[in-house]
Amino acid sequence: MRTPPARSAMANWLVRMKSKLHGKADPIERQIELALQPGAFIRDGKCFSFVSGLEEVAAITDQLIATDPARAAALYESFLAGCHSKADELDDSSGSFGQFAQALICRWIKARQAAGADPDKIASNLLAWMDDDPYAFCYEIEKDVAAAFDRAGLAAFEKLSRARFVAASRERAGYEHRRWSDILRAIYCAQRNIQAYIALAEQTGLKPEDCLAVAKLFAPRKPAEALGWIERGRALDREKPFRSGAVYDLDQLHRALLTRLGRQNEALEAAWADFRNHPSKFTYDDLMKFVPKAGRREWHKKALNASTSADLHSLLELFIETKEMERLAELVRASSGEALEKVSHYVTKPAAKRLEKGHADLAARLWLAQGMRIVNAKKSKYYDAALSNFERARDCYQRAGLAAEWEQTVRRVCAAHHRKTGFISGFRALAAGTKHRDRPSFLDRAKARWGERHPRGDLLI
């Protein structure tokens, strides 16, 4: 029998606080306990509905913040204690339970503040939980709690966090130094303390993400200064071997600020340069936001003519997005089967549907590519989807008068994949003309097999 894990210091503290604040259990605690389903293991597929039940009870507690905040805070503490005990009894692969626990911590902060608790005490308790966090409920929680704190609470959180940062700087603790540096960044953003943020960023190493954060802080009142920071961030990004995660937001804000400053032509040129460098449906949409209405047709044609450098995936998406069916057909016709198989079905499927009416032969190639992609990768879990794709390919080939090409495909697939027993029988049935979508259900097939083994006269009922 598995020995239960030792209760964390955070859970112990919560239990002590609950006992101290209440001589007897709050009636809402009974609802919390029922919602947590102690002793029952919650599988990943059931975790979302389980968390929805927890949210319903938390919403009842939320209503107490305005009328009895001390009681609300105590209930949140009980709820958090329960979450720590429940964490070993569920599969939180989706992360929904951890997100709920984070939200409880933010609710607790608001309730404690409403009850008039000492800001330093609230911040100290939070830091203790962040230090003793066996289930990562506090992982990257700084942005959320910074929004939950009022001004006094945020100042207390900043003071204690800065002390941790200074200590980590002295000890040259790499991870802790980065961790408290990131926490301080979140606090300064919430405080809109631009100068403190800049000083910290320059002390620890300015990154494109920092330039974006500073630009956002400047943007509402000082767009020209914000633009300078955007350009600085883009310059830093160009120095990197790989583009940073902030580059898209930097480009977006850059164009928005240019427009706001009356420099629409520069915004259009920037969007055009971005499209030429990275043609896609996303950069196309961005470009068309800055194109004058009178020139949309001209710019549309200009953009499509300049998109030839894009990869197959991006071009397929772009032509679907812009409803350029002839360009889409030409692209598929010029692409090899191997190239089409490498493109995600999220792109080839809508392309095939668009081409079925006017270009059935090309739609057949796309359906075939989707089926081959699954079978070649030996993804037996998706063989049923592959058979559906092959059926669509067969029907399109026949509609296009290309039955011979379908027969050639059948021979090739049977020769290459005859050992895949979970797939080949269904495929041969398709080749013989069976409708895959008319295939009996799992239960119908199971009953048929059962009937073969146990004729009705042998049944006991």
Side-chain angles (χ1 to χ4, degrees):
M1 187 174 75
R2 189 178 69 171
T3 304
R7 190 162 56 188
S8 70
M10 176 180 179
N12 286 325
W13 181 87
L14 291 169
V15 171
R16 289 198 305 272
M17 286 296 296
K18 184 185 75 172
S19 301
K20 182 178 178 181
L21 290 170
H22 293 279
K24 58 181 181 179
D26 189 299
I28 296 179
E29 285 191 345
R30 177 59 179 160
Q31 297 182 53
I32 293 173
E33 185 167 347
L34 289 172
L36 285 167
Q37 301 177 36
F41 186 83
I42 310 299
R43 300 192 179 279
D44 180 48
K46 301 290 184 181
C47 198
F48 183 80
S49 59
F50 170 71
V51 171
S52 296
L54 300 182
E55 283 286 2
E56 290 178 7
V57 181
I60 297 172
T61 308
D62 293 343
Q63 298 173 10
L64 296 173
I65 294 179
T67 57
D68 193 349
R71 181 186 173 197
L75 286 168
Y76 290 135
E77 291 163 5
S78 297
F79 220 147
L80 282 165
C83 286
H84 274 74
S85 294
K86 187 65 185 179
D88 288 311
E89 296 180 350
L90 54 78
D91 179 354
D92 191 30
S93 297
S94 65
S96 57
F97 183 69
Q99 291 171 1
F100 172 75
Q102 281 202 353
L104 276 183
I105 294 171
C106 295
R107 287 160 153 154
W108 173 83
I109 290 172
K110 292 178 180 179
R112 292 277 282 157
Q113 290 175 159
D118 177 38
D120 286 329
K121 184 64 174 175
I122 299 173
S124 295
N125 289 338
L126 173 62
L127 288 178
W129 295 353
M130 293 170 70
D131 290 339
D132 180 23
D133 188 25
Y135 301 108
F137 291 160
C138 297
Y139 177 70
E140 293 187 349
I141 198 175
E142 53 268 16
K143 290 183 180 178
D144 292 331
V145 297
F149 273 119
D150 59 20
R151 181 176 295 182
L154 198 55
F157 187 40
E158 187 273 336
K159 179 182 67 176
L160 295 176
S161 297
R162 173 156 283 282
R164 299 288 189 92
F165 171 74
V166 171
S169 300
R170 285 198 300 265
E171 296 168 8
R172 297 184 180 180
Y175 168 74
E176 286 298 303
H177 185 263
R178 290 192 302 273
R179 179 191 180 202
W180 291 105
S181 170
D182 290 341
I183 290 171
L184 283 173
R185 281 170 162 83
I187 294 171
Y188 293 145
C189 281
Q191 291 176 324
R192 303 195 64 80
N193 190 341
I194 300 176
Q195 297 309 315
Y197 189 105
I198 293 173
L200 175 65
E202 291 180 341
Q203 177 186 350
T204 57
L206 190 68
K207 299 174 289 188
E209 291 81 1
D210 294 320
C211 296
L212 176 63
V214 174
K216 286 181 177 179
L217 293 172
F218 272 126
R221 297 182 182 179
K222 298 181 178 180
E225 289 196 45
L227 185 61
W229 279 96
I230 287 292
E231 291 168 347
R232 189 172 179 181
R234 297 174 83 202
L236 285 173
D237 180 73
R238 286 192 292 271
E239 296 173 2
K240 293 177 172 289
F242 302 102
R243 303 190 90 192
S244 73
V247 70
Y248 179 76
D249 290 330
L250 283 167
D251 290 342
Q252 290 279 91
L253 186 54
H254 178 239
R255 294 191 285 270
L257 289 169
L258 286 172
T259 302
R260 186 175 165 190
L261 292 168
R263 296 159 61 179
Q264 287 86 349
N265 288 339
E266 291 180 55
L268 174 58
E269 285 302 315
W272 173 233
D274 193 32
F275 177 83
R276 283 181 299 171
N277 290 331
H278 308 282
S280 72
K281 72 172 186 178
F282 305 106
T283 52
Y284 173 86
D285 288 341
D286 289 341
L287 171 64
M288 299 310 285
K289 291 175 186 175
F290 299 95
V291 169
K293 286 185 178 180
R296 288 183 67 85
R297 181 176 298 179
E298 179 186 346
W299 273 98
H300 169 77
K301 184 177 180 181
K302 184 178 177 181
L304 294 181
N305 289 337
S307 65
T308 54
S309 63
D311 59 82
L312 181 58
H313 181 113
S314 297
L315 281 175
L316 287 169
E317 278 191 322
L318 176 60
F319 295 153
I320 293 169
E321 172 80 7
T322 56
K323 301 179 181 179
E324 287 283 343
M325 292 302 99
E326 289 308 314
R327 288 181 185 265
L328 178 63
E330 184 181 332
L331 176 64
V332 175
R333 190 176 291 111
S335 301
S336 67
E338 291 78 7
L340 293 172
E341 288 173 26
K342 293 177 182 178
V343 180
S344 168
H345 68 280
Y346 289 111
V347 178
T348 51
K349 183 176 181 179
K353 287 182 175 180
R354 294 288 183 91
L355 292 173
E356 275 186 331
K357 184 176 289 187
H359 300 276
D361 58 326
L362 301 178
R365 293 191 65 213
L366 289 168
W367 289 119
L368 178 62
Q370 292 176 68
M372 294 301 295
R373 189 168 188 259
I374 294 171
V375 177
N376 287 338
K378 302 177 182 179
K379 295 182 178 179
S380 57
K381 182 179 178 180
Y382 301 105
Y383 280 169
D384 198 59
L387 291 172
S388 294
N389 292 328
F390 284 123
E391 181 183 20
R392 299 281 290 259
R394 179 197 68 188
D395 294 346
C396 286
Y397 273 131
Q398 291 173 348
R399 194 157 57 246
L402 298 171
E405 290 200 24
W406 168 245
E407 292 300 328
Q408 183 180 356
T409 297
V410 170
R411 289 193 293 272
R412 188 171 72 251
V413 172
C414 287
H417 303 289
H418 65 280
R419 295 182 183 276
K420 296 184 173 75
T421 55
F423 161 77
I424 198 64
S425 60
F427 181 77
R428 283 176 175 150
L430 281 179
T434 301
K435 288 285 187 183
H436 177 65
R437 282 166 286 188
D438 295 337
R439 186 185 182 195
S441 69
F442 164 79
L443 193 56
D444 288 339
R445 286 181 278 125
K447 288 191 292 185
R449 286 196 299 271
W450 179 265
E452 292 172 1
R453 294 173 55 196
H454 303 282
R456 185 163 293 278
D458 296 337
L459 294 177
L460 298 177
I461 56 173

